[in-house]
Amino acid sequence: MRKWTIPSILFLLCLLFLLPDQGRKIHASAEGDSDLPVEPPKMEERIGAVPNGLTTDSDVANREAESMSRRTLRSNAEKFEFQAEVSRLMDIIINSLYSNKDIFLRELISNASDALDKIRFISLTDKEILGEGDNAKLEIQIKLDKEKKVISIRDSGIGMTKEDLIKNLGTIAKSGTSAFVEKMQTSGDLNLIGQFGVGFYSVYLVADYVEVISKHNDDKQHVWESKADGAFAISEDTWNEPLDRGTEIRLHLKDEAQEYLDEYKLKELVKKYSEFINFPIYLWASKEVDEEVPAYEEESSDEEDTSDSNSDEEGEEEDAEKEEDEKKPKTKTVKKTTYEWELLNDVKAIWLRNPKEVTEEEYTKFYRSLAKDFSDEKPLAWSHFTAEGDVEFKALLFIPPKAPHDLYESYYNSNKSNLKLYVRRVFISDEFDELLPKYLNFLMGLVDSDTLPLNVSREMLQQHSSLKTIKKKLIRKALDMIRKLADEDPDESNDNVNKDVEESSDSKEKKGQYAKFWNEFGKSIKLGIIEDATNRNRLAKLLRFETTKSDGKLTSLDQYISRMKSGQKDIFYITGASKEQLEKSPFLEGLTKKNYEVILFTDPVDEYLMQYLMDYEDKKFQNVSKEGLKIGKDSKDKELKESFKELTKWWKGALASENIDDVKISNRLADTPCVVVTSKYSWSANMERIMQSQTLSDASKQAYMRGKRVLEINPRHPIIKQLRELVVKDPEDESVKQTAKLIYQTALMESGFILHDPKDFASRIYSSVKTSLNISPDATVEEEVDVEEAETESDTTEAESSSNNEDAPKDYDDDVHDEL
């Protein structure tokens, strides 16, 4: 046994020396064999273990921290200059004294939502574009870094390529940039920025350095950065955490904007502005939790012995309790701060809810989010309904409190729509002008259909048969909503009996609402009458206008008809440039005297409107500036026509060169000697003025549509009576002819027509003035003295005197020289 002991000990010692060396060899061979798969570097613990939480190694984390700390453009980045319009916009924002800087967050969240909408729409036909796992989740994340004073807003949307970053954030200004700059210079309301498509630049209200990190599936990850100093830079991103897809915006806050590093403040802003965004918005929020930790008791040096044992049983019980306490580990509860992603917008899509369960405040909030209109004004009205039948859909329509700045600027050329189309809760497009006719394109809202197919192209969807049914129902609901707005307005009521009755708070709120609607969108209703023959009568009920009896208030056609005189068959109206001008028009004299009410149309579109609105409730429309006006019969009409027959015939001949079709006795005049009216189907004087002001108007067509004119004379006027007597005495008197032409030209101008030869009219006026001042018609203008000749003589005299002055010193010098 002893013989084997010594060799065994030696063998064990050898093994102990060889094993460490072998371990080093194995480790060395693992490092040297680079082609073999190796374990990935150890990752840091996932932040909060949440979907899409940042997973990064320490090197990336360090580089990212360094990136977030910097406030200067990277030296290796490609530099660009902002376009002039963008620079102007940024100057306005940076130097703005506007107090509400909160809008930056809502604009960034709105842009993130748009990016998520785009990627989700593309994924309908290309499911692989979203990727798998966490990458497929569409959400918005907000994170604060209080130490570095940075706010990050990240989305998993479509992302931007390098070209997109240049185009969208710098060199090519959006179409709304110029319009917004002009609006700011007039109104100063920065709150409108989102409506012009330039909301991104609101970041400079709170930040002096901005980074935009973006990854598109078709490009590498790039960083856009700018200090708002007129330039920006773009470079390939090699230092931040790789984004699978989407955009992250980092705002390096100004010193005066530190309040936005408060979690509660951000929660409040999201709740206020972005509650109804259709994608989840998460905030990396802190949370205090109670945690049990081990408690170590400190031994007390002043322990008192209380060995007062009355009995042996009590001593044994105490010993047993101490033994049990010693076995249990002693702990204490402490407060611990943890971080996790907190969902901020958990509100169900409002259009999916029962309308009875949605409050007015919720509708107002949703409208503001949808329209990007965060003013204090509420929408004028809304309609929330569900359509059932062959085509099922839910819809929510709003009437904005104000018309968009460019509503009628490109009315027929724009395909813009304010209605968003969803299919089974998936946003499809907001460019479907087939959902509503152009005259209703001021309405805001959305349509969510369960009938339309999801995964088809936008072009195919536009041809889908269901769209026509949806459009028909939307128009009907929209017109009902507008009619209801009018019906609920106390100012629109025909009842004047209960004027003194106290109004309820609801009626006070609705008072004047339809007048406000009409002032903003009345032109759209008129365009609807022109374009939509099917709904023309329903739209005509929504028309409002002023009349000669409305005292400045708006009147409907129904109200006008209710006030018509007995025996009145036609609805009288007149068109012109302004209400003041029309009220003084000679065409209204007879009608006003006989207590007829006349509608006053002052909008240029009214001329086109009345070409399509021929009648209403079996009442024909009659333009009082055209022939054919019937306002009762006069028993002396035949006698008057006969007594003035010679004058009318003579006057028609005297005006043969003036394109006058006839001269007639008028039944519409009271204090004016005569007026010029047009035939029933030709242009009125107002329409001629409108057409002549058109840039590309055709003079040849205007001559055709101008038609014949009729001179109507007032047989009771002293001028006309005197003219008749003069014509009876000497129809060939040249002065009488000149007077007749002057009266006609004056009537032409007073009737609203443009004089063809103003010089001829002026000459006749001056001749008339000469006569009234007893100046001879042959008197000539005194000739002016020829100024040029007088100036020449004056110059010659001055030249001679100056030459004499020059000769005097010369003679004096000669005399001095001789004397010397």
Side-chain angles (χ1 to χ4, degrees):
M1 193 70 182
R2 288 180 180 176
K3 186 166 59 172
W4 293 101
T5 301
I6 295 172
S8 298
I9 293 170
L10 291 171
F11 179 72
L12 289 170
L13 289 170
C14 290
L15 282 175
L16 290 170
F17 281 102
L18 288 171
L19 283 173
D21 185 55
Q22 188 66 22
R24 283 191 297 271
K25 287 181 180 178
I26 292 169
H27 183 68
S29 69
E31 287 181 344
D33 193 358
S34 59
D35 295 332
L36 293 175
V38 294
E39 287 188 20
K42 184 179 180 182
M43 311 301 275
E44 291 185 352
E45 185 178 356
R46 286 176 66 86
I47 302 176
V50 215
N52 273 9
L54 306 182
T55 309
T56 174
D57 61 28
S58 56
D59 291 339
V60 172
N62 291 335
R63 291 198 302 271
E64 190 168 11
E66 182 184 351
S67 171
M68 291 176 70
S69 300
R70 67 186 298 126
R71 285 175 179 259
T72 55
L73 303 185
R74 291 168 178 82
S75 57
N76 61 339
E78 188 176 354
K79 307 292 192 302
F80 298 88
E81 295 291 326
F82 280 114
Q83 190 171 352
E85 292 290 349
V86 180
S87 293
R88 284 179 63 203
L89 172 64
M90 293 173 72
D91 286 341
I92 290 174
I93 291 173
I94 293 166
N95 299 315
S96 174
L97 298 176
Y98 189 63
S99 58
N100 183 16
K101 301 180 186 296
D102 299 347
I103 62 171
F104 83 93
L105 186 62
R106 77 154 195 246
E107 296 301 330
L108 294 184
I109 290 176
S110 177
N111 291 346
S113 176
D114 291 342
L116 291 166
D117 274 329
K118 289 177 183 177
I119 195 69
R120 185 164 68 174
F121 180 75
I122 296 172
S123 71
L124 298 177
T125 51
D126 183 6
K127 293 183 179 179
E128 295 180 358
I129 197 170
L130 288 179
E132 297 178 352
D134 290 342
N135 296 338
K137 294 185 177 180
L138 302 177
E139 56 193 16
I140 301 168
Q141 296 176 342
I142 305 172
K143 193 174 180 183
L144 304 176
D145 190 328
K146 295 183 179 180
E147 184 182 346
K148 297 184 177 65
K149 301 176 183 177
V150 173
I151 297 179
S152 300
I153 295 99
R154 176 193 266 189
D155 67 74
S156 53
I158 194 168
M160 288 181 279
T161 62
K162 180 181 178 181
E163 287 71 22
D164 290 336
L165 288 168
I166 298 171
K167 176 182 176 182
N168 295 334
L169 304 182
T171 56
I172 301 178
K174 296 282 188 180
S175 59
T177 306
S178 299
F180 174 69
V181 169
E182 292 172 8
K183 188 76 175 178
M184 270 293 295
Q185 289 172 343
T186 54
S187 69
D189 189 0
L190 193 61
N191 206 36
L192 300 171
I193 190 168
Q195 298 180 26
F196 295 83
V198 289
F200 166 76
Y201 302 104
S202 64
V203 295
Y204 291 103
L205 287 167
V206 297
D208 51 14
Y209 174 60
V210 178
E211 294 176 278
V212 180
I213 305 156
S214 196
K215 172 69 174 71
H216 190 282
N217 285 345
D218 298 336
D219 201 354
K220 297 177 181 178
Q221 184 166 311
H222 288 87
V223 177
W224 179 100
E225 51 186 333
S226 174
K227 296 179 69 178
D229 54 357
F232 64 94
I234 296 179
S235 54
E236 186 178 338
D237 189 6
T238 56
W239 50 88
N240 289 304
E241 176 208 0
L243 302 176
D244 295 306
R245 183 195 64 253
T247 301
E248 180 178 346
I249 300 177
R250 291 179 186 163
L251 310 181
H252 297 256
L253 298 179
K254 301 175 182 177
D255 291 336
E256 62 269 23
Q258 302 302 306
E259 60 180 308
Y260 298 104
L261 293 172
D262 181 8
E263 290 177 15
Y264 179 78
K265 174 75 173 177
L266 293 186
K267 290 178 185 178
E268 191 180 52
L269 292 181
V270 172
K271 181 77 174 173
K272 181 178 180 181
Y273 293 120
S274 307
E275 183 178 11
F276 296 101
I277 292 292
N278 293 320
F279 300 95
I281 302 172
Y282 291 100
L283 175 67
W284 187 240
S286 60
K287 184 179 180 182
E288 281 195 348
V289 295
D290 293 334
E291 186 174 357
E292 297 287 333
V293 297
Y296 300 99
E297 293 185 0
E298 295 181 0
E299 294 183 0
S300 175
S301 57
D302 300 327
E303 289 185 356
E304 297 181 358
D305 292 331
T306 56
S307 57
D308 183 10
S309 56
N310 295 327
S311 65
D312 294 337
E313 291 179 1
E314 289 180 3
E316 288 176 3
E317 287 177 4
E318 289 177 4
D319 292 340
E321 288 176 1
K322 287 180 180 178
E323 285 179 6
E324 287 179 7
D325 291 340
E326 287 174 359
K327 288 178 182 178
K328 291 180 182 178
K330 293 188 176 181
T331 61
K332 62 178 180 179
T333 303
V334 295
K335 296 287 185 183
K336 182 180 179 182
T337 302
T338 61
Y339 287 86
E340 61 182 16
W341 290 112
E342 180 182 341
L343 182 63
L344 302 182
N345 60 332
D346 55 352
V347 180
K348 182 182 177 182
I350 196 171
W351 64 91
L352 301 179
R353 295 162 60 187
N354 188 331
K356 295 179 181 178
E357 298 173 357
V358 186
T359 65
E360 181 179 325
E361 184 181 359
E362 287 177 311
Y363 279 124
T364 302
K365 280 186 177 180
F366 181 72
Y367 164 75
R368 288 172 178 168
S369 173
L370 182 74
K372 298 180 180 178
D373 178 7
F374 294 90
S375 62
D376 294 333
E377 294 186 90
K378 298 178 182 178
L380 294 176
W382 55 81
S383 178
H384 185 186
F385 61 94
T386 301
E388 297 177 348
D390 297 337
V391 179
E392 294 185 358
F393 66 91
K394 294 178 174 63
L396 181 53
L397 304 176
F398 292 94
I399 301 177
K402 288 185 178 179
H405 67 285
D406 57 348
L407 180 59
Y408 303 112
E409 286 181 8
S410 54
Y411 180 80
Y412 289 106
N413 299 326
S414 173
N415 293 324
K416 182 183 176 183
S417 172
N418 292 318
L419 213 59
K420 294 180 182 289
L421 176 65
Y422 288 78
V423 176
R424 298 168 209 165
R425 269 63 68 200
V426 177
F427 174 72
I428 302 299
S429 175
D430 57 0
E431 298 177 359
F432 268 87
D433 54 347
E434 288 85 359
L435 285 174
L436 280 176
K438 284 186 180 297
Y439 70 88
L440 290 177
N441 63 1
F442 63 88
L443 294 176
M444 296 275 184
L446 57 84
V447 177
D448 191 347
S449 172
D450 292 329
T451 310
L452 294 171
L454 254 178
N455 49 347
V456 295
S457 68
R458 190 173 298 172
E459 289 73 22
M460 290 176 64
L461 199 58
Q462 287 175 337
Q463 306 301 322
H464 201 276
S465 58
S466 297
L467 278 180
K468 292 182 179 179
T469 307
I470 293 174
K471 181 177 182 178
K472 186 177 180 180
K473 291 184 178 180
L474 285 174
I475 293 173
R476 182 166 52 81
K477 285 290 185 179
L479 296 183
D480 287 345
M481 173 176 59
I482 298 171
R483 180 185 54 77
K484 186 179 178 183
L485 181 67
D487 292 343
E488 293 178 350
D489 188 344
D491 287 348
E492 292 288 316
S493 175
N494 284 326
D495 279 334
N496 297 322
V497 181
N498 299 325
K499 275 188 175 180
D500 298 331
V501 178
E502 279 190 29
E503 296 179 352
S504 65
S505 59
D506 187 46
S507 63
K508 283 182 180 178
E509 188 175 340
K510 292 175 179 177
K511 187 179 178 66
Q513 288 292 86
Y514 193 76
K516 185 177 181 182
F517 164 81
W518 183 257
N519 292 332
E520 294 291 335
F521 306 107
K523 188 173 289 186
S524 293
I525 301 300
K526 295 175 182 179
L527 290 168
I529 292 173
I530 295 170
E531 299 168 7
D532 191 351
T534 306
N535 295 293
R536 187 165 290 156
N537 195 57
R538 298 181 70 190
L539 286 162
K541 288 183 178 294
L542 303 175
L543 274 177
R544 296 294 182 271
F545 37 78
E546 290 187 51
T547 71
T548 52
K549 290 186 177 181
S550 65
D551 295 326
K553 295 181 180 179
L554 293 175
T555 301
S556 67
L557 285 172
D558 290 329
Q559 290 170 332
Y560 178 93
I561 291 174
S562 69
R563 297 196 293 258
M564 284 175 62
K565 288 182 66 175
S566 59
Q568 183 181 342
K569 296 180 180 180
D570 297 334
I571 298 173
F572 299 133
Y573 74 93
I574 186 171
T575 60
S578 68
K579 177 187 172 185
E580 292 74 19
Q581 184 189 67
L582 291 178
E583 286 175 335
K584 298 174 183 177
S585 172
F587 295 109
L588 300 182
E589 290 176 357
L591 292 162
T592 305
K593 194 171 183 178
K594 294 178 180 179
N595 201 30
Y596 285 98
E597 187 174 10
V598 182
I599 296 171
L600 308 176
F601 283 130
T602 56
D603 192 337
V605 76
D606 292 333
E607 285 285 355
Y608 301 92
L609 166 71
M610 298 315 295
Q611 293 175 25
Y612 292 86
L613 190 62
M614 309 300 294
D615 58 77
Y616 179 80
E617 300 291 340
D618 298 326
K619 304 286 184 183
K620 299 286 185 183
F621 284 92
Q622 172 64 53
N623 189 334
V624 300
S625 67
K626 293 187 176 183
E627 65 176 349
L629 178 66
K630 297 176 182 178
I631 50 174
K633 293 183 178 180
D634 192 338
S635 57
K636 298 181 179 180
D637 280 354
K638 289 184 178 180
E639 296 178 10
L640 285 170
K641 286 181 181 178
E642 190 64 31
S643 61
F644 280 87
K645 186 176 181 181
E646 187 176 353
L647 173 64
T648 54
K649 185 179 179 181
W650 173 83
W651 211 338
K652 181 180 177 180
L655 299 175
S657 61
E658 299 288 344
N659 195 31
I660 281 291
D661 187 51
D662 202 359
V663 179
K664 295 180 179 179
I665 300 296
S666 178
N667 63 344
R668 72 186 86 208
L669 296 176
D671 303 318
T672 303
C674 55
V675 289
V676 178
V677 300
T678 56
S679 58
K680 193 169 185 178
Y681 299 104
S682 62
W683 286 345
S684 65
N686 187 54
M687 189 63 175
E688 279 190 30
R689 178 183 60 81
I690 292 170
M691 294 307 296
Q692 287 181 6
S693 65
Q694 301 293 323
T695 307
L696 303 176
S697 58
D698 189 340
S700 59
K701 288 183 180 179
Q702 286 184 14
Y704 171 75
M705 287 302 298
R706 190 174 292 123
K708 296 289 184 179
R709 295 168 181 170
V710 176
L711 176 65
E712 290 191 359
I713 60 175
N714 183 356
R716 289 168 292 277
H717 200 281
I719 290 178
I720 302 301
K721 286 182 177 181
Q722 182 64 27
L723 187 63
R724 181 184 62 172
E725 293 179 5
L726 293 174
V727 169
V728 170
K729 288 181 180 178
D730 186 3
E732 300 300 324
D733 189 341
E734 192 62 32
S735 64
V736 176
K737 287 184 180 180
Q738 294 299 322
T739 301
K741 285 184 179 180
L742 177 60
I743 293 172
Y744 165 72
Q745 288 178 328
T746 306
L748 196 68
M749 188 167 62
E750 191 178 17
S751 301
F753 293 95
I754 298 173
L755 293 176
H756 177 67
D757 188 357
K759 179 67 177 176
D760 179 60
F761 173 71
S763 299
R764 295 182 193 280
I765 290 291
Y766 294 142
S767 298
S768 177
V769 171
K770 283 182 180 179
T771 305
S772 64
L773 295 175
N774 296 321
I775 300 173
S776 171
D778 300 327
T780 58
V781 179
E782 184 178 342
E783 291 188 6
E784 186 179 4
V785 178
D786 194 342
V787 179
E788 291 184 1
E789 289 184 6
E791 286 180 354
T792 306
E793 291 176 3
S794 163
D795 291 342
T796 307
T797 308
E798 287 179 3
E800 290 176 356
S801 63
S802 63
S803 64
N804 292 334
N805 292 335
E806 286 176 3
D807 290 343
K810 186 177 179 183
D811 294 340
Y812 173 77
D813 290 341
D814 290 342
D815 293 340
V816 171
H817 182 267
D818 291 341
E819 288 179 3
L820 291 173

Short mmCIF file of all heavy atoms in Angstrom, two decimals, residues 476-507:
data_model
loop_
_atom_site.label_atom_id
_atom_site.label_comp_id
_atom_site.label_asym_id
_atom_site.label_seq_id
_atom_site.Cartn_x
_atom_site.Cartn_y
_atom_site.Cartn_z
N ARG A 476 -76.95 63.07 -48.04
CA ARG A 476 -78.24 63.24 -47.38
C ARG A 476 -78.05 63.59 -45.90
O ARG A 476 -78.70 64.50 -45.38
CB ARG A 476 -79.06 61.95 -47.52
CG ARG A 476 -80.45 62.03 -46.89
CD ARG A 476 -81.32 60.88 -47.36
NE ARG A 476 -80.68 59.60 -47.17
CZ ARG A 476 -80.66 58.93 -45.99
NH1 ARG A 476 -81.24 59.46 -44.93
NH2 ARG A 476 -80.09 57.75 -45.89
N LYS A 477 -77.14 62.89 -45.24
CA LYS A 477 -76.90 63.15 -43.82
C LYS A 477 -76.27 64.54 -43.61
O LYS A 477 -76.58 65.23 -42.63
CB LYS A 477 -75.99 62.07 -43.23
CG LYS A 477 -76.68 60.74 -42.99
CD LYS A 477 -77.68 60.85 -41.85
CE LYS A 477 -78.29 59.52 -41.50
NZ LYS A 477 -79.24 59.62 -40.37
N ALA A 478 -75.39 64.93 -44.52
CA ALA A 478 -74.74 66.24 -44.40
C ALA A 478 -75.77 67.37 -44.55
O ALA A 478 -75.76 68.34 -43.77
CB ALA A 478 -73.65 66.38 -45.46
N LEU A 479 -76.66 67.25 -45.52
CA LEU A 479 -77.68 68.28 -45.73
C LEU A 479 -78.67 68.30 -44.56
O LEU A 479 -79.14 69.38 -44.17
CB LEU A 479 -78.41 68.05 -47.06
CG LEU A 479 -77.53 68.17 -48.32
CD1 LEU A 479 -78.38 67.99 -49.57
CD2 LEU A 479 -76.79 69.49 -48.37
N ASP A 480 -78.98 67.13 -44.02
CA ASP A 480 -79.86 67.08 -42.84
C ASP A 480 -79.21 67.78 -41.65
O ASP A 480 -79.89 68.46 -40.87
CB ASP A 480 -80.17 65.63 -42.47
CG ASP A 480 -81.14 64.98 -43.46
OD1 ASP A 480 -81.76 65.73 -44.24
OD2 ASP A 480 -81.26 63.74 -43.46
N MET A 481 -77.89 67.59 -41.50
CA MET A 481 -77.16 68.22 -40.40
C MET A 481 -77.20 69.75 -40.53
O MET A 481 -77.42 70.47 -39.54
CB MET A 481 -75.71 67.72 -40.39
CG MET A 481 -74.80 68.43 -39.41
SD MET A 481 -73.13 67.71 -39.35
CE MET A 481 -72.59 67.89 -41.05
N ILE A 482 -77.02 70.25 -41.75
CA ILE A 482 -77.04 71.70 -41.97
C ILE A 482 -78.45 72.25 -41.75
O ILE A 482 -78.64 73.31 -41.14
CB ILE A 482 -76.54 72.03 -43.39
CG1 ILE A 482 -75.08 71.57 -43.57
CG2 ILE A 482 -76.63 73.53 -43.66
CD1 ILE A 482 -74.58 71.65 -44.99
N ARG A 483 -79.46 71.51 -42.24
CA ARG A 483 -80.85 71.94 -42.04
C ARG A 483 -81.21 71.98 -40.56
O ARG A 483 -81.89 72.90 -40.09
CB ARG A 483 -81.80 71.00 -42.80
CG ARG A 483 -83.27 71.37 -42.65
CD ARG A 483 -84.15 70.33 -43.33
NE ARG A 483 -83.86 69.00 -42.85
CZ ARG A 483 -84.26 68.50 -41.68
NH1 ARG A 483 -84.97 69.25 -40.85
NH2 ARG A 483 -83.97 67.26 -41.35
N LYS A 484 -80.73 70.98 -39.82
CA LYS A 484 -81.00 70.93 -38.38
C LYS A 484 -80.35 72.12 -37.67
O LYS A 484 -80.92 72.69 -36.73
CB LYS A 484 -80.47 69.62 -37.81
CG LYS A 484 -80.82 69.40 -36.34
CD LYS A 484 -80.27 68.07 -35.84
CE LYS A 484 -80.58 67.89 -34.35
NZ LYS A 484 -80.00 66.63 -33.82
N LEU A 485 -79.16 72.50 -38.13
CA LEU A 485 -78.48 73.67 -37.55
C LEU A 485 -79.34 74.91 -37.72
O LEU A 485 -79.44 75.75 -36.81
CB LEU A 485 -77.12 73.86 -38.23
CG LEU A 485 -76.26 75.03 -37.74
CD1 LEU A 485 -75.80 74.81 -36.31
CD2 LEU A 485 -75.04 75.21 -38.65
N ALA A 486 -79.99 75.03 -38.88
CA ALA A 486 -80.87 76.18 -39.13
C ALA A 486 -82.15 76.09 -38.30
O ALA A 486 -82.61 77.08 -37.74
CB ALA A 486 -81.21 76.25 -40.62
N ASP A 487 -82.71 74.88 -38.22
CA ASP A 487 -83.98 74.71 -37.49
C ASP A 487 -83.83 75.01 -36.00
O ASP A 487 -84.76 75.50 -35.36
CB ASP A 487 -84.50 73.28 -37.67
CG ASP A 487 -84.95 73.02 -39.11
OD1 ASP A 487 -85.15 74.00 -39.85
OD2 ASP A 487 -85.08 71.83 -39.48
N GLU A 488 -82.66 74.70 -35.44
CA GLU A 488 -82.45 74.88 -34.00
C GLU A 488 -81.99 76.28 -33.64
O GLU A 488 -81.87 76.61 -32.46
CB GLU A 488 -81.43 73.86 -33.49
CG GLU A 488 -81.94 72.42 -33.56
CD GLU A 488 -80.90 71.42 -33.09
OE1 GLU A 488 -79.73 71.84 -32.89
OE2 GLU A 488 -81.25 70.24 -32.91
N ASP A 489 -81.74 77.12 -34.64
CA ASP A 489 -81.30 78.50 -34.39
C ASP A 489 -82.53 79.38 -34.14
O ASP A 489 -83.38 79.52 -35.03
CB ASP A 489 -80.51 79.02 -35.59
CG ASP A 489 -79.86 80.37 -35.32
OD1 ASP A 489 -80.26 81.04 -34.35
OD2 ASP A 489 -78.96 80.75 -36.09
N PRO A 490 -82.65 79.97 -32.96
CA PRO A 490 -83.82 80.83 -32.67
C PRO A 490 -83.97 81.98 -33.64
O PRO A 490 -85.09 82.43 -33.91
CB PRO A 490 -83.53 81.35 -31.25
CG PRO A 490 -82.58 80.37 -30.66
CD PRO A 490 -81.75 79.86 -31.80
N ASP A 491 -82.87 82.48 -34.19
CA ASP A 491 -82.94 83.60 -35.13
C ASP A 491 -83.60 83.20 -36.45
O ASP A 491 -84.03 84.07 -37.22
CB ASP A 491 -81.53 84.13 -35.43
CG ASP A 491 -80.97 84.90 -34.25
OD1 ASP A 491 -81.75 85.20 -33.33
OD2 ASP A 491 -79.75 85.17 -34.24
N GLU A 492 -83.65 81.89 -36.73
CA GLU A 492 -84.21 81.42 -37.98
C GLU A 492 -85.71 81.17 -37.89
O GLU A 492 -86.37 80.86 -38.87
CB GLU A 492 -83.52 80.11 -38.39
CG GLU A 492 -82.07 80.29 -38.78
CD GLU A 492 -81.93 80.98 -40.12
OE1 GLU A 492 -82.66 80.63 -41.06
OE2 GLU A 492 -81.09 81.88 -40.23
N SER A 493 -86.26 81.26 -36.67
CA SER A 493 -87.67 80.92 -36.46
C SER A 493 -88.58 81.97 -37.05
O SER A 493 -88.31 83.17 -36.99
CB SER A 493 -87.95 80.75 -34.97
OG SER A 493 -89.32 80.55 -34.75
N ASN A 494 -89.71 81.52 -37.60
CA ASN A 494 -90.71 82.45 -38.14
C ASN A 494 -91.60 83.02 -37.05
O ASN A 494 -92.36 83.96 -37.26
CB ASN A 494 -91.58 81.74 -39.18
CG ASN A 494 -90.85 81.56 -40.49
OD1 ASN A 494 -90.06 82.41 -40.87
ND2 ASN A 494 -91.11 80.46 -41.17
N ASP A 495 -91.56 82.38 -35.87
CA ASP A 495 -92.43 82.79 -34.77
C ASP A 495 -91.88 84.04 -34.13
O ASP A 495 -90.83 84.01 -33.54
CB ASP A 495 -92.52 81.69 -33.71
CG ASP A 495 -93.52 80.63 -34.11
OD1 ASP A 495 -94.44 80.94 -34.87
OD2 ASP A 495 -93.35 79.52 -33.64
N ASN A 496 -92.58 85.11 -34.23
CA ASN A 496 -92.19 86.33 -33.53
C ASN A 496 -93.09 86.57 -32.31
O ASN A 496 -93.01 87.60 -31.66
CB ASN A 496 -92.28 87.53 -34.48
CG ASN A 496 -91.31 87.39 -35.63
OD1 ASN A 496 -90.20 86.92 -35.44
ND2 ASN A 496 -91.72 87.80 -36.82
N VAL A 497 -93.95 85.59 -32.05
CA VAL A 497 -94.93 85.75 -30.97
C VAL A 497 -94.25 85.64 -29.62
O VAL A 497 -94.53 86.39 -28.69
CB VAL A 497 -96.04 84.68 -31.10
CG1 VAL A 497 -97.07 84.86 -29.99
CG2 VAL A 497 -96.68 84.76 -32.45
N ASN A 498 -93.35 84.67 -29.51
CA ASN A 498 -92.75 84.38 -28.21
C ASN A 498 -91.40 85.07 -28.03
O ASN A 498 -90.48 84.50 -27.46
CB ASN A 498 -92.59 82.86 -28.03
CG ASN A 498 -93.93 82.15 -28.08
OD1 ASN A 498 -94.92 82.68 -27.61
ND2 ASN A 498 -93.93 80.95 -28.64
N LYS A 499 -91.26 86.23 -28.55
CA LYS A 499 -89.98 86.93 -28.45
C LYS A 499 -89.62 87.27 -27.01
O LYS A 499 -88.45 87.29 -26.63
CB LYS A 499 -90.01 88.22 -29.27
CG LYS A 499 -89.67 88.00 -30.73
CD LYS A 499 -89.52 89.33 -31.45
CE LYS A 499 -89.07 89.12 -32.87
NZ LYS A 499 -88.91 90.39 -33.60
N ASP A 500 -90.62 87.58 -26.20
CA ASP A 500 -90.36 88.02 -24.84
C ASP A 500 -90.16 86.86 -23.86
O ASP A 500 -89.78 87.08 -22.72
CB ASP A 500 -91.53 88.88 -24.33
CG ASP A 500 -91.67 90.14 -25.18
OD1 ASP A 500 -90.64 90.58 -25.71
OD2 ASP A 500 -92.80 90.65 -25.31
N VAL A 501 -90.43 85.63 -24.32
CA VAL A 501 -90.26 84.48 -23.44
C VAL A 501 -88.78 84.24 -23.20
O VAL A 501 -87.95 84.38 -24.10
CB VAL A 501 -90.90 83.22 -24.08
CG1 VAL A 501 -90.69 82.01 -23.18
CG2 VAL A 501 -92.38 83.46 -24.32
N GLU A 502 -88.43 83.90 -21.99
CA GLU A 502 -87.02 83.67 -21.64
C GLU A 502 -86.45 82.52 -22.46
O GLU A 502 -87.07 81.47 -22.58
CB GLU A 502 -86.89 83.35 -20.15
CG GLU A 502 -86.90 84.59 -19.28
CD GLU A 502 -86.52 84.24 -17.85
OE1 GLU A 502 -85.77 83.28 -17.65
OE2 GLU A 502 -87.01 84.93 -16.95
N GLU A 503 -85.26 82.72 -22.98
CA GLU A 503 -84.61 81.68 -23.76
C GLU A 503 -83.84 80.75 -22.84
O GLU A 503 -83.25 81.18 -21.86
CB GLU A 503 -83.65 82.31 -24.78
CG GLU A 503 -84.35 83.17 -25.82
CD GLU A 503 -83.35 83.78 -26.78
OE1 GLU A 503 -82.14 83.65 -26.52
OE2 GLU A 503 -83.78 84.39 -27.75
N SER A 504 -83.85 79.46 -23.21
CA SER A 504 -83.07 78.49 -22.44
C SER A 504 -81.60 78.66 -22.75
O SER A 504 -81.22 79.28 -23.75
CB SER A 504 -83.52 77.07 -22.79
OG SER A 504 -83.23 76.79 -24.15
N SER A 505 -80.74 78.08 -21.92
CA SER A 505 -79.30 78.19 -22.14
C SER A 505 -78.90 77.52 -23.44
O SER A 505 -77.99 77.97 -24.14
CB SER A 505 -78.55 77.55 -20.97
OG SER A 505 -78.92 76.18 -20.84
N ASP A 506 -79.61 76.44 -23.81
CA ASP A 506 -79.30 75.72 -25.04
C ASP A 506 -79.62 76.58 -26.27
O ASP A 506 -78.84 76.66 -27.22
CB ASP A 506 -80.10 74.42 -25.09
CG ASP A 506 -79.70 73.55 -26.28
OD1 ASP A 506 -78.48 73.39 -26.49
OD2 ASP A 506 -80.58 73.05 -26.98
N SER A 507 -80.78 77.27 -26.21
CA SER A 507 -81.16 78.12 -27.35
C SER A 507 -80.25 79.33 -27.47
O SER A 507 -79.97 79.81 -28.56
CB SER A 507 -82.62 78.56 -27.22
OG SER A 507 -82.79 79.36 -26.06
#
